[in-house]
């Protein structure tokens, strides 16, 4: 599997894999933290492929009691063990992948934590245990702080997944464009890179929209102009900000001071959860807004950006004013 980027993470994974093979055991349990769409699931699959191990993905919410945990444990690869759990040949420890592992119920965290450490589970009879095949639990999360400390401490390897650099995003877009059969110009690639937020998942979604638009107008090459037309239709500006984010910035611009989440929700007519979960993170990351104890504030950088923005963004502001005045 050829994976672009994450060079240091891949190096550490290869070291862990080599050591595990040498000792005929499982690689250490791993916690992958960071922004969504930045390669956590891909690297988990990479680990399984390099280990030559089965890959088992489980929904964390389902592991809520002993019965559900045992049901999952029964799916682990148990070849080359004797009846007592001793290794009698080369084993293939399963990669047990829990995406959004922060959704794992506390009971599941307690049970899995003990199994991760001891590779055994308590039987129905008190003080008796059943052996568990070796496995590597890989948890992926955007909010590692939501995990209990005892459970979090079971992960011996922790990796932080940050947005990709522009050069890496260029290579990722080229690769996926080739997979989709899209001919895209260098300038078209650039227009896509600057809007993809360093996130391959977003870039792939954009390429799909570009492909569909090319088919609709019978175009053979995705030029810069064609790509810009796609983003205009998607209402995504030259810096990658979408309509909701621009509305939010204009609302703060006009307020001239801190605005509470509830008031902001009324002004731009968006659900508070959508604002907090989808609009604010990227704006904060880009230094456009700040969240303080008094409310949301537009930064000097955000104000400068709006003042230098084009006519399309002005129209967004007019729409906000119109909707708010109607209320």
């Amino acid at each position: 599997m050829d994976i672009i980027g994450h060079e240091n993470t891949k190096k550490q994974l290869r070291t862990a894999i080599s050591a595990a093979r040498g000792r005929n055991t499982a690689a250490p349990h791993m916690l992958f933290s960071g922004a969504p769409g930045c390669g956590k699931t891909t690297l988990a699959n990479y680990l399984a492929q390099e280990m030559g191990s089965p890959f088992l993905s489980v929904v964390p919410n389902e592991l809520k009691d002993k019965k559900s945990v045992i049901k999952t444990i029964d799916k682990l690869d148990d070849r080359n063990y004797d009846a007592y759990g001793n290794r009698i040949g080369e084993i293939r420890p399963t990669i047990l992948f829990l995406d959004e592992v922060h959704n794992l119920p506390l009971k599941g965290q307690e049970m899995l934590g003990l199994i991760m450490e001891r590779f055994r589970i308590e039987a129905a009879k008190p003080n008796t245990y059943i052996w568990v095949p070796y496995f590597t639990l890989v948890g992926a999360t955007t909010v590692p702080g939501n995990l209990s400390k005892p459970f979090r401490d079971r992960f011996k390897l922790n990796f932080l997944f940050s947005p990709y650099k522009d050069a890496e995003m260029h290579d990722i877009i080229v690769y996926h464009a080739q997979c989709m059969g899209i001919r895209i110009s260098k300038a078209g690639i650039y227009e896509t890179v600057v809007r993809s937020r360093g996130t391959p998942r977003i870039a792939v979604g954009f390429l799909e929209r570009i492909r569909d638009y090319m088919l609709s107008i019978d175009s053979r090459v995705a030029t810069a102009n064609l790509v810009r037309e796609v983003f205009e239709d998607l209402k995504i500006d030259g810096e990658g900000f979408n309509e909701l984010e621009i509305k939010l910035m204009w609302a703060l611009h006009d307020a001239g001071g801190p605005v509470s989440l509830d008031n902001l929700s009324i002004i731009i007519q968006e659900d508070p959860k959508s604002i907090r979960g989808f609009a604010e993170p990227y704006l904060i990351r880009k230094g456009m807004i700040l969240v303080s104890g008094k409310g949301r504030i537009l930064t000097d950088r955000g104000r400068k950006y709006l003042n230098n923005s084009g006519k399309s963004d002005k129209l967004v502001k007019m729409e906000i004013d119109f909707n708010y005045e109607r209320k």
Side-chain angles (χ1 to χ4, degrees):
M1 181 183 292
D2 187 17
I3 298 177
I4 299 170
H6 299 299
E7 296 305 323
N8 184 57
T9 299
K10 289 188 292 186
K11 179 180 178 181
Q12 292 189 60
L13 289 180
R14 287 192 290 267
T15 298
I17 290 168
S18 179
R21 282 177 174 167
R23 296 184 294 113
N24 194 27
T25 189
H29 304 297
M30 306 178 190
L31 187 62
F32 293 173
S33 307
C38 286
K40 295 188 289 295
T41 302
T42 301
L43 263 293
N45 276 284
Y46 169 84
L47 175 64
Q49 180 171 309
E50 293 298 303
M51 285 285 294
S53 298
F55 182 84
L56 175 61
S57 181
V58 177
V59 178
N61 309 64
E62 297 178 353
L63 303 177
K64 55 188 176 181
D65 52 32
K66 186 173 183 178
K67 182 178 179 181
S68 58
V69 171
I70 291 176
K71 184 178 179 181
T72 297
I73 295 301
D74 284 342
K75 297 178 182 178
L76 300 177
D77 192 311
D78 60 359
R79 289 173 290 181
N80 290 331
Y81 296 87
D82 65 18
Y84 303 100
N86 299 309
R87 288 160 285 184
I88 55 176
E90 185 179 1
I91 63 172
R92 291 285 183 268
T94 301
I95 305 302
L96 178 60
F97 180 64
L98 272 64
D99 196 12
E100 304 295 335
V101 68
H102 53 267
N103 291 326
L104 182 64
L106 185 58
K107 183 65 176 178
Q109 293 185 36
E110 293 172 351
M111 291 197 63
L112 270 180
L114 293 173
I115 298 171
M116 290 162 68
E117 182 178 15
R118 303 174 183 176
F119 293 103
R120 65 180 188 177
I121 188 169
E122 189 173 6
K125 186 178 179 180
N127 298 320
T128 58
Y129 297 87
I130 300 172
W131 66 274
V132 171
Y134 284 94
F135 67 97
T136 297
L137 195 151
V138 178
T141 178
T142 55
V143 281
N146 283 8
L147 297 173
S148 68
K149 187 178 185 304
F151 183 64
R152 197 166 62 244
D153 288 346
R154 307 294 185 191
F155 295 95
K156 302 307 179 184
L157 290 178
N158 288 265
F159 299 101
L160 178 62
F161 286 69
S162 302
Y164 286 71
K165 298 177 181 178
D166 284 353
E168 295 171 333
M169 288 303 301
H170 173 279
D171 293 343
I172 289 169
I173 289 170
V174 169
Y175 170 78
H176 284 283
Q178 290 174 345
C179 291
M180 296 181 193
I182 300 173
R183 292 181 60 197
I184 183 168
S185 69
K186 291 182 179 180
I189 294 171
Y190 171 79
E191 295 288 347
T192 309
V193 167
V194 297
R195 293 171 172 85
S196 294
R197 308 188 177 198
T199 306
R201 185 183 300 169
I202 294 176
V204 171
F206 287 159
L207 285 173
E208 290 172 348
R209 303 288 77 75
I210 291 169
R211 177 194 59 195
D212 294 346
Y213 187 68
M214 291 173 66
L215 289 172
S216 71
I217 63 173
D218 194 26
S219 175
R220 295 188 176 185
V221 180
T223 63
N225 286 335
L226 183 149
V227 171
R228 282 193 289 266
E229 288 177 11
V230 171
F231 286 118
E232 286 177 8
D233 290 343
L234 293 174
K235 296 184 179 180
I236 296 172
D237 74 3
E239 293 294 324
F241 295 119
N242 60 38
E243 186 177 21
L244 174 57
E245 291 159 346
I246 295 170
K247 278 185 178 182
L248 190 154
M249 286 193 286
W250 273 118
L252 295 180
H253 176 279
D254 292 348
V259 180
S260 71
L261 179 60
D262 288 340
N263 285 333
L264 191 59
S265 173
I266 294 170
I267 294 171
I268 66 176
Q269 299 186 24
E270 289 290 344
D271 182 79
K273 291 183 178 179
S274 297
I275 294 174
R276 187 187 295 113
F278 299 107
E280 290 182 346
Y282 188 60
L283 291 174
I284 294 172
R285 178 178 134 199
K286 298 295 287 186
M288 299 296 177
I289 70 169
L290 292 174
V291 178
S292 70
K294 295 182 179 180
R296 278 67 181 161
I297 303 171
L298 186 70
T299 64
D300 290 341
R301 178 182 293 182
R303 193 172 302 277
K304 181 179 179 181
Y305 178 78
L306 291 180
N307 291 337
N308 293 334
S309 61
K311 181 179 178 182
S312 61
D313 292 345
K314 302 289 185 183
L315 293 175
V316 170
K317 178 184 180 300
M318 291 171 60
E319 179 185 348
I320 296 172
D321 292 341
F322 176 70
N323 289 332
Y324 190 53
E325 290 170 1
R326 282 182 18 179
K327 292 180 72 70

